[in-house]
Amino acid sequence: MIVRTLDEITDTERDVESENKQWRSKRIVLANDKVGFSVHETVLQPGTINDFWYANHIEAVFITEGEGELYDKDNDVTYQLAPGSIYVLSGNEKHQLRPKTLMKTVCVFNPPVTGREVHDENGVYPLVVED
């Protein structure tokens, strides 16, 4: 059994902030926990534009706080997001998050991320596998 709190993760190697401070991700469950998925709390700053493309992962994102927009770059569609919204990148869609207010999300990745991934110039996490 795994039991963790966000307080335990804060300011550890599981607490990652983007270089431009647009988002902060606390990696609650990672690949080395060996449960088949990873779980993160990600907080996005208002007024930012965040480009992502998880070419190697399926991601589900549940909005717990704040409002914003999700722009599906592959299909040229914009969705409004608010608490209780979920989106699933089931087709590895290139997308853009545009928080209007501080936005808190819970993200689930499959395959799980290790915590060592860094977004490349396209917003992609490489597929890193635990030994």
Side-chain angles (χ1 to χ4, degrees):
M1 181 179 299
I2 299 167
V3 178
R4 290 196 180 103
T5 68
L6 290 174
D7 287 343
E8 291 173 49
I9 294 166
T10 300
D11 298 325
T12 71
E13 68 280 350
R14 289 177 176 252
D15 185 1
V16 178
E17 191 167 30
S18 66
E19 286 183 23
N20 54 12
K21 304 210 182 285
Q22 291 189 176
W23 55 262
R24 182 176 184 179
S25 179
K26 294 183 182 182
R27 281 78 188 272
I28 303 162
V29 177
L30 289 171
N32 64 1
D33 291 312
K34 302 195 184 313
V35 295
F37 56 88
S38 59
V39 179
H40 315 186
E41 180 201 55
T42 300
V43 178
L44 299 112
Q45 295 300 314
T48 60
I49 297 175
N50 303 274
D51 289 294
F52 300 112
W53 175 33
Y54 297 114
N56 302 305
H57 301 84
I58 301 297
E59 182 192 30
V61 178
F62 183 73
I63 313 310
T64 60
E65 185 179 315
E67 296 181 356
E69 293 180 338
L70 168 69
Y71 175 56
D72 176 347
K73 296 167 86 173
D74 288 343
N75 298 296
D76 193 29
V77 179
T78 300
Y79 301 91
Q80 298 304 307
L81 301 174
S85 301
I86 189 169
Y87 65 89
V88 180
L89 300 165
S90 55
N92 305 100
E93 294 86 357
K94 294 177 184 173
H95 61 290
Q96 190 175 78
L97 278 174
R98 305 171 188 155
K100 295 176 184 174
T101 65
L102 185 82
M103 199 157 71
K104 289 187 179 183
T105 67
V106 176
C107 309
V108 178
F109 283 86
N110 185 17
V113 300
T114 65
R116 297 187 310 272
E117 294 84 357
V118 176
H119 289 102
D120 69 12
E121 65 279 358
N122 296 308
V124 175
Y125 274 158
L127 185 58
V128 178
V129 180
E130 284 291 323
D131 296 328

